[in-house]
C-alpha cells in the first residue's frame, strides 16, 4: 500500500509539482523512451497527471492507476479541462486487475519506493507482468537515500491564493539500514486569512532496493533483458554518485 495522499497533501503536491513539471528531466526521458509506442501504456501511481498529461498530449495512449482517490480526482479534472479522456482507475498496485493489456507499464520518479514492503513490491511486479502483452516492457525508477538526518525538522509553505496556503512540517524519524527504509512524519496545515482551517497527517515510509536485489526481483517476477539508466540519462551506468536508476525490462 502507498503512503496515503489525502486532500491537503494532494493540494500541496499540485502546488509544488504542477502538470508538466519535469523532475530532473523525467518527463523528457520517458517521452524519449516511449517514442514509437503504438499500444496502450499504463502509468502506475499516476497521481495528479503531472506526467500523464504531457505523454497524452504527445500522442501516446496512456492509462493511469493510483491508490489515492484525491490524487485521481484531480487528475480527472485536469484531463477534462484539456479534453483528454484516458482510462483512470483507483486501485492498489499489489491488487492490480485492469481490463486491458499494455505494451509498456511505467512507474516514474521513485513511486515504487512507496509500496509497503517487499512482499507488496513482488506482488506488484508480478501483477505488472500479467498486464503486459508478449514482449511488453516495464520502466521503473528507484531512488536511494542521500540526505537524511534523524530527529531533524523543517518547514515549507506554499501559497494557494492571497489569503490561503498550506504549511508542511517535515520530521525525519528513522533511517533503517537493515530493513532498508526511511520514515518521515509529515503534517500539512492549511490556513486561510491567518487562521488554521484544516490539518492532515501523513506517515511517509520510503523503501529502497540494492541494484542486484532489484534485478533478482525482476527476474523472479518474470522479466528479462534488464537494463539500467542512471539519473535519466539512457544507458548511463550507475555509480556510487547515482541518486536514481531507471530499470527497464521485458516480459519473459
Amino acid at each position: 500500500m502507498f503512503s496515503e495522499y489525502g486532500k491537503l497533501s494532494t493540494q500541496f503536491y499540485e502546488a509544488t509539482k504542477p502538470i508538466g513539471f519535469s523532475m530532473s528531466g523525467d518527463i523528457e526521458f520517458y517521452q524519449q523512451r516511449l517514442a514509437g509506442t503504438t499500444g496502450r501504456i499504463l502509468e502506475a501511481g499516476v497521481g495528479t497527471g503531472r506526467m500523464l498529461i504531457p505523454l497524452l498530449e504527445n500522442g501516446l495512449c496512456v492509462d493511469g492507476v493510483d491508490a489515492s482517490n484525491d490524487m485521481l480526482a484531480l487528475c480527472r479534472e485536469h484531463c477534462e479541462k484539456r479534453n483528454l479522456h484516458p482510462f483512470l482507475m483507483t486501485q492498489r498496485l499489489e491488487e492490480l486487475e485492469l481490463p486491458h493489456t499494455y505494451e509498456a507499464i511505467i512507474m516514474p520518479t521513485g513511486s515504487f519506493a512507496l509500496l509497503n514492503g517487499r512482499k507488496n513490491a513482488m506482488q506488484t511486479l508480478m501483477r505488472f507482468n500479467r498486464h503486459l502483452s508478449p514482449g511488453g516492457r516495464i520502466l521503473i525508477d528507484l531512488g536511494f537515500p542521500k540526505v537524511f538526518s534523524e530527529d531533524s525538522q523543517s518547514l515549507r509553505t506554499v501559497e494557494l491564493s492571497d489569503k490561503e496556503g498550506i504549511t508542511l512540517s517535515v520530521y525525519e524519524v528513522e533511517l533503517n539500514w537493515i530493513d532498508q527504509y526511511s520514515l518521515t512524519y509529515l503534517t500539512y496545515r492549511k490556513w486561510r486569512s491567518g487562521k488554521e482551517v484544516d490539518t492532515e497527517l501523513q506517515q511517509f515510509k520510503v523503501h529502497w532496493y540494492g541494484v542486484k536485489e532489484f534485478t533478482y526481483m525482476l527476474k523472479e517476477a518474470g522479466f528479462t533483458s534488464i537494463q539500467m539508466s542512471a539519473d535519466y540519462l539512457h544507458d548511463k551506468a550507475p555509480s556510487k554518485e547515482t541518486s536514481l536508476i531507471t530499470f527497464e525490462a521485458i516480459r519473459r
Side-chain angles (χ1 to χ4, degrees):
M1 128 182 169
F2 277 99
S3 299
E4 294 293 340
Y5 279 88
K7 182 172 65 174
L8 297 192
S9 49
T10 296
Q11 290 177 352
F12 192 91
Y13 184 97
E14 168 78 356
T16 55
K17 303 177 185 70
I19 301 300
F21 177 79
S22 184
M23 299 172 64
S24 303
D26 63 344
I27 291 178
E28 294 82 358
F29 175 84
Y30 274 87
Q31 285 177 335
Q32 185 264 327
R33 295 304 303 142
L34 295 170
T37 304
T38 57
R40 281 182 177 269
I41 300 165
L42 176 67
E43 183 182 354
V46 68
T48 62
R50 178 189 67 86
M51 180 175 289
L52 173 84
I53 287 174
L55 294 178
L56 289 170
E57 292 178 335
N58 207 36
L60 297 170
C61 177
V62 191
D63 297 345
V65 62
D66 202 283
S68 168
N69 287 314
D70 291 289
M71 293 286 257
L72 211 55
L74 190 54
C75 183
R76 288 192 177 96
E77 182 180 322
H78 284 310
C79 288
E80 289 171 1
K81 286 179 180 178
R82 293 164 173 82
N83 199 30
L84 299 170
H85 306 284
F87 174 83
L88 299 174
M89 177 71 73
T90 303
Q91 251 183 46
R92 297 196 180 281
L93 298 183
E94 66 270 23
E95 301 169 355
L96 191 68
E97 194 64 54
L98 301 178
H100 307 293
T101 56
Y102 295 92
E103 189 174 338
I105 297 176
I106 66 172
M107 201 165 183
T109 325
S111 296
F112 192 89
L114 300 181
L115 291 166
N116 188 21
R118 278 151 174 76
K119 180 179 178 181
N120 283 349
M122 275 302 302
Q123 289 175 337
T124 297
L125 290 175
M126 290 187 287
R127 293 277 178 166
F128 285 174
N129 188 284
R130 285 167 48 181
H131 281 79
L132 284 168
S133 56
R137 58 184 170 141
I138 55 170
L139 292 94
I140 296 176
D141 292 347
L142 291 184
F144 302 95
K146 284 291 185 181
V147 179
F148 193 94
S149 179
E150 290 187 359
D151 297 324
S152 71
Q153 300 184 56
S154 61
L155 292 174
R156 184 180 181 186
T157 296
V158 297
E159 293 187 0
L160 305 179
S161 68
D162 291 341
K163 297 182 179 181
E164 187 177 66
I166 297 175
T167 296
L168 169 62
S169 304
V170 179
Y171 176 41
E172 295 182 340
V173 178
E174 178 186 10
L175 185 63
N176 188 318
W177 290 101
I178 300 300
D179 296 320
Q180 295 174 228
Y181 69 80
S182 63
L183 178 62
T184 305
Y185 293 158
L186 307 177
T187 304
Y188 299 86
R189 292 184 172 88
K190 189 171 185 177
W191 45 267
R192 185 179 301 122
S193 300
K195 295 182 179 180
E196 187 174 307
V197 294
D198 201 0
T199 303
E200 181 177 298
L201 305 178
Q202 186 182 28
Q203 179 175 289
F204 208 70
K205 195 173 186 179
V206 178
H207 297 261
W208 71 86
Y209 304 82
V211 169
K212 291 183 179 179
E213 176 188 17
F214 197 67
T215 298
Y216 175 79
M217 290 170 65
L218 289 171
K219 291 178 179 178
E220 284 293 296
F223 292 97
T224 187
S225 303
I226 300 166
Q227 301 177 6
M228 288 173 278
S229 298
D231 300 321
Y232 297 127
L233 296 173
H234 179 54
D235 275 346
K236 177 188 175 183
S239 69
K240 64 181 181 180
E241 287 80 26
T242 298
S243 60
L244 184 141
I245 297 176
T246 303
F247 285 80
E248 192 168 344
I250 306 296
R251 176 191 167 186
R252 187 165 54 227

